[in-house]
Amino acid sequence: MLDKIKQGLKKFVEIVSTKTITEKKVEDALWELKLQLISSDVSVIVADKISEEVKKSLVGAKIGLLEDVKEIIKKSLRKAIEDVLQVNITSKIDLIDEIKNKKNKPYIIALVGVNGVGKTLTAAKIAYLLKNKGLNCILAASDTFRAGSIEQLEKHANNLNVKVIKQGYGSDAAAVAYDAVNYARARNIDAVIIDTAGRVQTDKNLMEEVKKIVRVVEPDLKIFIGDALTGNDMLRQAEEFNNSLRIDGSILTKVDADVKGGAALSISYVTKKPILFIGVGGGYQDLEEFDVNKFIEILMPN
Ligand SMILES: Nc1nc2c(ncn2[C@@H]2O[C@H](COP(=O)(O)OP(=O)(O)OP(=O)(O)O)[C@@H](O)[C@H]2O)c(=O)[nH]1
Ligand SMILES: [Mg+2]
């Protein structure tokens, strides 16, 4: 995964480090790098930002005779990437701690996003994670829209031995979430995970439906679920959900199949919210905490 960006970075390091660093040379190489980043689904704003930062730190840099030019260039790239991944992000969210520390149970998590991005599977993955951490949770079947969605969630819930609160298709999604919260409150359950209906980006009704869920149950955490494979499209969705709901963070799914990697690099910058987890497969255990340093480690050329 992430091979494409990695190659762009590698090429940049190689081009620049074979020559003395002059503004013109850095600029030419940066142009190449920017194109590579953009074709790897990094958003144009982010690609610009990375190029600018690298340029600032490299042009005019006085490099001692014994210093390794390659290392200096890598350091400058690493810093620029770190900056875009962490810009304006002050709070790292530790989900397990947050749930444990919440005074009035339950802790309420709402998962939102467009069709087919992995909301339902991610709801199940989170339930699995919480169970493994000794926390109990229930699932709210607030996708009352798509045929088969309730049975799909129930199947996961059966596998995990977690309760689902549901009504019928066509019923009010916010009412289902509300029921689930009440159920959990009455039984001292740690967390409620709300699975919501997918929507096509332009669907105003479904967006209103999620907003209503948010109004009614006031989730502690509103997580945007984005499919890493859909690149810049996913970034537009993230912006739209963020504008409508003020999301608290994102989970990127299908990162296991993502050879480009640009979406992960851009989403925090675009939303100014952290990536909480990444989905790396179809199993319940395939949810990893997103670690900026580890991500950079994977990206950086040797
Ligand atoms: N490889 C891989 N597949 C994933 C991942 N997350 C989800 N999927 C797959 O993506 C498909 C869609 O997942 P769902 O959980 O049904 O997506 P959804 O957002 O609930 O879809 P709708 O309910 O139709 O809006 C399924 O086939 C999942 O197995 C992931 O991290 N990696
Ligand atoms: Mg679903």
Side-chain angles (χ1 to χ4, degrees):
M1 68 192 193
L2 313 174
D3 291 345
K4 197 158 178 195
I5 295 193
K6 193 177 176 132
Q7 293 202 345
L9 299 179
K10 190 169 176 199
K11 198 162 160 207
F12 177 77
V13 173
E14 269 157 19
I15 294 175
V16 180
S17 60
T18 53
K19 300 166 181 171
T20 33
I21 300 177
T22 65
E23 182 155 0
K24 172 83 176 68
K25 281 167 189 165
V26 172
E27 259 174 15
D28 290 348
L30 275 179
W31 178 246
E32 280 264 332
L33 174 67
K34 210 156 90 178
L35 292 181
Q36 273 278 358
L37 290 175
I38 291 169
S39 70
S40 309
D41 284 346
V42 174
S43 77
V44 176
I45 305 179
V46 173
D48 276 341
K49 167 103 180 131
I50 291 175
S51 311
E52 247 159 57
E53 292 237 338
V54 172
K55 185 176 164 188
K56 252 193 281 172
S57 70
L58 283 185
V59 172
K62 291 199 174 60
I63 297 166
L65 275 179
L66 297 177
E67 280 182 276
D68 185 341
V69 182
K70 228 177 192 170
E71 282 312 309
I72 290 172
I73 297 162
K74 278 201 258 176
K75 216 164 121 188
S76 138
L77 270 180
R78 169 185 282 271
K79 172 80 173 53
I81 293 173
E82 244 167 37
D83 284 355
V84 296
L85 280 170
Q86 284 171 325
V87 72
N88 284 358
I89 293 174
T90 42
S91 54
K92 190 174 180 299
I93 299 171
D94 185 322
L95 181 62
I96 303 301
D97 270 3
E98 289 221 356
I99 296 173
K100 282 185 177 159
N101 293 334
K102 183 166 183 198
K103 293 210 173 66
N104 309 316
K105 286 182 189 180
Y107 188 90
I108 304 165
I109 303 167
L111 306 183
V112 301
V114 307
N115 308 61
V117 291
K119 294 177 297 299
T120 304
L121 180 61
T122 304
K125 287 177 177 179
I126 295 174
Y128 176 81
L129 171 76
L130 299 191
K131 273 194 83 170
N132 279 344
K133 298 284 179 183
L135 296 165
N136 52 22
C137 63
I138 56 173
L139 291 159
S142 287
D143 180 353
T144 59
F145 180 74
R146 180 175 60 75
S149 66
I150 300 176
E151 290 75 15
Q152 185 191 358
L153 188 67
E154 281 182 316
K155 196 164 164 221
H156 289 308
N158 277 339
N159 293 341
L160 296 169
N161 201 16
V162 167
K163 182 164 180 69
V164 177
I165 302 298
K166 61 171 182 176
Q167 292 179 15
Y169 288 100
S171 60
D172 181 0
V176 178
Y178 187 77
D179 276 0
V181 170
N182 276 340
Y183 181 96
R185 191 170 286 143
R187 289 163 185 80
N188 213 30
I189 286 167
D190 297 306
V192 173
I193 304 163
I194 305 169
D195 181 31
T196 66
R199 61 219 65 236
V200 289
Q201 224 157 323
T202 48
D203 195 313
K204 291 276 173 291
N205 291 339
L206 279 170
M207 193 59 101
E208 286 308 316
E209 183 179 290
V210 197
K211 280 194 195 166
K212 185 172 173 193
I213 295 175
V214 168
R215 257 196 330 271
V216 170
V217 301
E218 299 180 347
D220 297 281
L221 202 60
K222 288 163 280 178
I223 307 180
F224 168 76
I225 311 289
D227 177 340
L229 300 179
T230 59
N232 276 300
D233 225 20
M234 188 276 288
L235 295 177
R236 276 190 291 277
Q237 297 155 17
E239 268 183 312
E240 193 183 324
F241 276 91
N242 198 26
N243 291 339
S244 300
L245 305 173
R246 264 200 258 118
I247 60 164
D248 300 296
S250 307
I251 295 178
L252 275 188
T253 59
K254 311 183 195 179
V255 174
D256 50 306
D258 178 21
V259 290
K260 291 182 169 176
L265 200 52
S266 312
I267 191 169
S268 317
Y269 191 80
V270 170
T271 60
K272 315 291 182 221
K273 302 285 161 45
I275 301 173
L276 303 175
F277 296 98
I278 53 175
V280 293
Y284 297 129
Q285 73 286 355
D286 295 328
L287 186 71
E288 287 181 5
E289 232 171 271
F290 182 72
D291 179 330
V292 171
N293 291 323
K294 199 171 144 198
F295 181 74
I296 294 175
E297 238 24 86
I298 297 173
L299 276 188
M300 289 304 295
N302 304 320

